[in-house]
Amino acid sequence: MPVATLEVIDGIGLITIDSPPVNALGVDVRRGLDAAIRESLAADDVNAIVLTCGGRTFFAGADISEFGKPLERPDLLEVLATIENSAKPVIAAIHGTALGGGCETAIVCHYRIAVPSARVGLPEVNLGLLPSAGGTQRLPRLVGVEQAMEIVSGGAPIAAPQALELGMVDALAREGQLRQDAIAFARRILQEGRPLVRVRDRQELVAAARGKPEIYAKFLAKNANSFRGRRAPFNIVKAIEAAAELPFDEGMKREAELFREVHDSAESAAQRYYFFAERDTARIPDIGNDVRPLPVKSVGVIGAGTMGGGIAMNFLNAGIPVTLVEMNQAALERGLATIRRNYESTAHKGRMTLEAVEKRMAAITPSVDLAAVTNVDLVIEAIYEEIGIKKDLFARLDAIVRARAILASNTSFLNLDVIADATRRPEDVVGLHFFSPANVMRLLEVVRGAKTRKQVVATAMSLARTIRKVPVLSRVGYGFIANRVMAARMAEADSLVLEGPTPTEVDRAIYEFGFAMGPFRMIDLVGLDVIGRDSDERTLAGDLVKRGRLGQKMNGGFYDYDEKRNPTPSAVAAEVIAEFAASKGVRNTGPLQADEIVARLLYPVVNEGARVLEEGIALRASDIDVACVLGYGWPVQTGGPMFWGDTVGLSRIVEGLRARGVRPANLLIEKAANGGSFTR
Ligand code: 3HC
C-alpha cells in the first residue's frame, strides 16, 4: 500500500495518508505527502485540496524515533512551506489526534475541519522539546500569546469543540462523516471565493502582545513550581515571545535555535526514552499476542475503604459495573459516600455532569454478603494488610466464585504466592497493586505469582489499559518494584538526618531535584503511624508517634504546621532526631551540599533497582523507571532512577555507595566494570 493516495472528486483533490499505527511524520510519510501535494498542485482538475489520514488518527506528530539521528529530506518545514504557499486552498480534515508536527501541519493549512471526537495539541514539552515546525509562531497568531503559552507549555491535547472556540479549527464535521463534510467544506470555500488564509500573515493577536515583557514574566512566575528543573517550558515561552516581537521568518529562526538547545539536552533524551519505556511495559517476553486476554465485564471489590473505593472508581469510569462488599452496613455506607463525594467534587469542577455521577453510582451493587461476587469475572481484594486475614478471604472466595474467575489481591507487601496457595486455583490468582489515590495514580503493578497462568497475566495487563493505567509487571518480592526501590531513599533520609542535615535541607535538595516534595514532607502527609506500622524496629517516625506526632493530620510530624498546612521546622522533631542519634552513637558531621544529599539518597535507589533486576522481580530497567515516575513522581526529566543512574555514571555510583559502606549489587558492579548501562 502506498503511504499517500490522491483521489480527485469533482474538482477536489483528496489526499489520504496511511501509515499505521499513528501516521507519524517519518521520512516515508513526508515524502508521500510532499509528492501528493505537488501532484495536486500540478493537476488542472484539482481546485482545492483536502488533506486527511487513514487509520485511527490524523498525524500524531514527528516520528519520535528519528530524533537524534541524521534527518532525511524533505524535512517537515519544506513540506509545510509547499502547503502554505499553495495557490489552491488546502483543508486539513482531522480525526483522532493531531499532535505535535501533526497539529503544525494542520495549522499551516488554509482551513481546518475536525470531527467532534478529535483532539489537537502540541505535546512536545512532554518529550522535553518545543514545536519545531512553526507551532510556536503560528499558534499565537491563532489563539493569542497567553493561550498559546498555556497550550504549548502544558502539552495537553484540546478537544475539537474547544479548539473551534479557540480558533484552532474552523468547523466541525459530523462524527463518521469527515470525508464528505471536508469535501463539502472545500467546495463552499471555492464557491464563496474565500481567501487563502495563511496563518503566518495574521497579525492582530501577536501585535496585541508586542512590547509587553510582563506577560511572560507573569506566566513564568505562575508556573514556577511545575517548570522547576526543566528547560523546555522556558524555551517555549521564549519562542512564543519571539512570535510577538519578531517578523514571522525571524521568529521561525528563533524557534529553530531554541529547539536545538532542548533537542540536545539530557532532559529531552530522558523524556524521549521515557515515552517508549511507558509503552514497552506491555511487552512480556514469554506471553505473545496469541495469548488472548479474558473478557472482564464485571468486577467485585472487597473492602470499601480508601483503596477499595478508589479501585472501584476506575472500573466505574470505564463503564464496568462493580459489586462492592464490606463487612458491615456502616462501613459500606461510608465507602459509598466517599465515592459519591469524589464524583460530586469532580462534577462541581465542571469535569463531569451530575447525570454521569448518578450513572456511575448506579453501576455499584453494594453488599455486606461475600456471596454477592459469585458471578463476577474478577474479584479484587483491598482489605487490611495481614496475611492470615487475606488467606482466609481467598479461601472463602475460592469456594464461591465461578470457575476461571480471576482472584486479585491489592497487597503492597505480602507474599502473593502464600495468598494464592490458600485457594485451589493459584493459577487464577494475580496481584493488582494500585497506588493511592487509586482513582488518580496511573501506575498499576501487576504481580505475577509463581503459578499465575499466562492468560491471567495477559488479562491483567490489558485491563490496566482499559482503566487507563500503565501496567508494570512484577514478580513476587517484598514491596514489589516501586515501594521497594523507593524505600531505599527513605532509609537513607532517616540515617542522614542523624548526621546533621535537617529534614528541611534534605527535602529542599530532593524538591530541587524535581520531586513534588521531599521524603519528610511526604511521610508527614501520609501519616507517621501508617509507614512502618508492621515493624517492631525503633524508627525516627516511631519515636515521633510516641510523642503524639502523627504528621500533618495530628500535631505535626517532622515539621510543625500552621492552619494553612504550611510547614516550619519543628523543635520537637529536632530533639527527637538528636536523641535518636545519641542513642545510636551517630556523630553530627554538619550540613551537606544539595548534590551530596541527592547522591546519598538516590544512589541507593539505583542500587536497589539493580537488585530488583538481578532477582528477576522486574523484567527490564525501564519498567523500574516507569514505576518510580508514575508511582512516586520521580522527575520524568531525569528519565527515572535507572536512566538517571546511567547519566550519572555507574562507576561513580558504585564508588559513592562503597564510600558509605553500602555493598553495591553485583549487577551494578558488573555493569560499572564493563562500561555497561541499564538503559542505553
Ligand atoms: N513517533 C513514533 N512512534 C509513535 C509516535 C510518534 N510520534 N506516536 C506513537 N507512536 C507509536 C508508539 O510507540 C506505539 O508503538 P508500539 O505499538 O510499537 O508500542 C504506537 O505508535 C501506538 O501508540 P500508543 O500505544 O501510544 O497508542 P495510543 O492510541 O494509546 O495513543 C497517541 C496514540 C495519542 C498518538 C500517542 O501515541 C501519542 O501521544 N503519541 C505521541 C504524540 C507526540 O508526542 N507527538 C509529538 C512528537 S514531536 C513533534 O511532533 C515535533 C514537531 O514539532 C516537529
Side-chain angles (χ1 to χ4, degrees):
M1 261 267 296
V3 168
T5 48
L6 170 65
E7 287 166 78
V8 182
I9 304 163
D10 206 9
I12 309 292
L14 176 71
I15 297 176
T16 307
I17 303 292
D18 205 350
S19 175
V22 295
N23 294 307
L25 286 148
V27 62
D28 293 340
V29 171
R30 295 196 300 273
R31 283 189 184 141
L33 174 59
D34 191 54
I37 292 280
R38 287 179 193 282
E39 193 184 335
S40 316
L41 293 177
D44 290 339
D45 56 347
V46 170
N47 302 315
I49 301 164
V50 169
L51 172 59
T52 192
C53 288
R56 65 206 232 207
T57 179
F58 197 74
F59 309 102
D63 184 339
I64 300 169
S65 61
E66 281 185 356
F67 287 116
K69 296 183 189 153
L71 190 83
E72 288 189 68
R73 295 191 60 192
D75 67 28
L76 189 56
L77 286 171
E78 291 167 323
V79 183
L80 297 195
T82 310
I83 296 178
E84 187 163 59
N85 296 324
S86 151
K88 302 176 182 178
V90 185
I91 295 108
I94 305 168
H95 75 297
T97 40
L99 299 177
C103 179
E104 291 170 297
T105 303
I107 62 178
V108 90
C109 292
H110 306 108
Y111 294 95
R112 288 152 289 286
I113 178 167
V115 288
S117 62
R119 290 181 302 153
V120 296
L122 293 165
E124 285 86 345
V125 71
N126 299 328
L127 301 167
L129 296 172
L130 57 123
S132 64
T136 64
Q137 305 304 299
R138 289 193 184 86
L139 189 64
R141 287 172 158 79
L142 281 175
V143 303
V145 158
E146 276 147 319
Q147 193 61 255
M149 285 194 292
E150 293 284 352
I151 294 173
V152 189
S153 71
I158 295 165
Q162 196 198 341
L164 177 72
E165 269 175 37
L166 288 173
M168 285 175 81
V169 301
D170 304 297
L172 291 185
R174 289 164 299 165
E175 204 65 56
Q177 311 281 325
L178 181 60
R179 202 180 128 115
Q180 297 90 312
D181 287 0
I183 291 171
F185 183 81
R187 271 213 187 96
R188 253 193 334 272
I189 285 170
L190 291 173
Q191 274 157 11
E192 292 169 10
R194 282 208 228 164
L196 286 175
V197 186
R198 295 200 317 170
V199 173
R200 57 174 287 155
D201 298 333
R202 291 176 55 170
Q203 291 303 324
E204 328 87 90
L205 293 176
V206 281
R210 196 157 299 147
K212 294 184 181 159
E214 64 279 8
I215 300 178
Y216 314 98
K218 199 169 138 208
F219 184 76
L220 289 174
K222 185 176 95 179
N223 291 289
N225 192 13
S226 66
F227 292 176
R228 159 182 48 103
R230 300 160 63 196
R231 187 158 187 185
F234 293 94
N235 278 25
I236 285 168
V237 171
K238 284 184 200 160
I240 291 177
E241 184 171 6
E245 299 299 325
L246 302 175
F248 183 82
D249 288 322
E250 282 181 44
M252 288 294 286
K253 281 192 202 135
R254 185 78 184 118
E255 178 188 88
E257 279 164 21
L258 291 162
F259 175 81
R260 260 193 309 279
E261 279 179 24
V262 289
H263 178 267
D264 297 338
S265 68
E267 165 186 334
S268 177
Q271 290 187 243
R272 282 180 270 139
Y273 151 83
Y274 183 81
F275 175 84
F276 291 110
E278 247 193 32
R279 283 151 183 87
D280 280 346
T281 65
R283 294 182 232 278
I284 307 173
D286 67 330
I287 304 184
N289 289 339
D290 54 319
V291 182
R292 308 298 305 164
L294 294 159
V296 176
K297 299 211 157 54
S298 56
V299 172
V301 176
I302 316 295
T306 313
M307 267 332 261
I311 292 171
M313 288 173 77
N314 288 300
F315 293 96
L316 299 169
N317 296 347
I320 300 175
V322 173
T323 302
L324 188 61
V325 180
E326 250 301 346
M327 295 211 296
N328 59 58
Q329 197 62 31
L332 186 59
E333 269 159 29
R334 259 197 317 276
L336 288 169
T338 307
I339 297 177
R340 175 175 284 283
R341 212 171 33 249
N342 284 337
Y343 278 138
E344 283 176 349
S345 120
T346 309
H348 288 142
K349 289 180 199 139
R351 295 210 298 262
M352 75 191 281
T353 61
L354 286 169
E355 201 188 340
V357 174
E358 293 313 321
K359 203 167 152 207
R360 288 186 200 179
M361 291 309 294
I364 306 178
T365 306
S367 180
V368 287
D369 182 1
L370 198 59
V373 298
T374 307
N375 292 315
V376 300
D377 297 325
L378 161 71
V379 183
I380 304 172
E381 159 280 306
I383 63 169
Y384 192 66
E385 279 284 86
E386 204 280 313
I387 193 76
I389 303 179
K390 299 229 184 209
K391 278 170 65 180
D392 177 57
L393 174 67
F394 273 74
R396 284 162 61 208
L397 286 170
D398 182 31
I400 57 169
V401 301
R402 61 167 181 72
R404 290 305 188 212
I406 299 175
L407 297 179
S409 172
N410 176 51
T411 182
S412 328
F413 290 99
L414 300 174
N415 187 326
L416 183 80
D417 291 332
V418 173
I419 299 174
D421 282 337
T423 71
R424 288 160 304 164
R425 51 173 112 192
E427 66 282 2
D428 290 332
V429 176
V430 70
L432 291 180
H433 181 214
F434 288 84
F435 284 70
S436 186
N439 54 321
V440 177
M441 300 291 280
R442 286 179 63 226
L443 176 63
L444 178 63
E445 286 181 346
V446 172
V447 186
R448 182 176 189 175
K451 297 179 188 156
T452 314
R453 69 194 167 95
K454 290 181 180 175
Q455 202 176 16
V456 169
V457 175
T459 306
M461 299 299 284
S462 123
L463 188 65
R465 299 277 177 195
T466 310
I467 58 172
R468 305 170 79 94
K469 305 275 181 214
V470 178
V472 170
L473 191 69
S474 174
R475 281 291 190 176
V476 176
Y478 187 78
F480 308 118
I481 299 177
N483 282 347
R484 170 168 167 190
V485 300
M486 292 307 293
R489 182 186 73 162
M490 193 66 233
E492 277 301 315
D494 267 356
S495 75
L496 186 57
V497 287
L498 303 184
E499 297 170 22
T502 63
T504 310
E505 284 158 359
V506 171
D507 280 354
R508 192 182 308 122
I510 293 296
Y511 173 78
E512 270 157 20
F513 180 77
F515 281 93
M517 65 181 82
F520 295 106
R521 288 285 303 278
M522 190 178 116
I523 185 170
D524 270 6
L525 189 67
V526 176
L528 272 59
D529 53 332
V530 175
I531 290 180
R533 68 182 155 198
D534 50 353
S535 149
D536 299 330
E537 221 179 293
R538 181 176 168 195
T539 60
L540 269 179
D543 280 11
L544 285 162
V545 171
K546 280 191 202 125
R547 299 254 194 140
R549 297 178 70 88
L550 268 54
Q552 250 187 46
K553 63 184 172 189
M554 200 183 189
N555 301 329
F558 283 94
Y559 296 90
D560 292 332
Y561 293 88
D562 63 18
E563 58 292 346
K564 287 196 181 133
R565 303 201 156 188
N566 291 317
T568 43
S570 156
V572 182
E575 200 183 296
V576 168
I577 291 169
E579 274 169 18
F580 197 93
S583 76
K584 295 254 172 196
V586 180
R587 216 164 43 85
N588 187 323
T589 44
L592 282 184
Q593 300 291 331
D595 56 347
E596 292 171 303
I597 296 177
V598 166
R600 180 73 188 270
L601 262 61
L602 302 186
Y603 286 4
V605 177
V606 180
N607 195 32
E608 200 58 31
R611 291 215 175 89
V612 159
L613 269 181
E614 212 167 67
E615 292 167 23
I617 302 288
L619 274 177
R620 49 179 88 78
S622 61
D623 282 6
I624 300 173
D625 286 337
V626 173
C628 292
V629 167
L630 296 182
Y632 274 81
W634 182 292
V636 67
Q637 65 271 19
T638 69
M642 307 315 279
F643 188 91
W644 177 74
D646 287 337
T647 309
V648 171
L650 299 184
S651 304
R652 198 157 146 203
I653 294 195
V654 167
E655 280 161 30
L657 290 167
R658 283 190 173 137
R660 283 269 311 127
V662 178
R663 196 177 66 77
N666 291 339
L667 186 64
L668 182 57
I669 297 174
E670 197 185 294
K671 284 193 185 287
N674 330 326
S677 83
F678 289 109
T679 61
R680 317 285 159 93

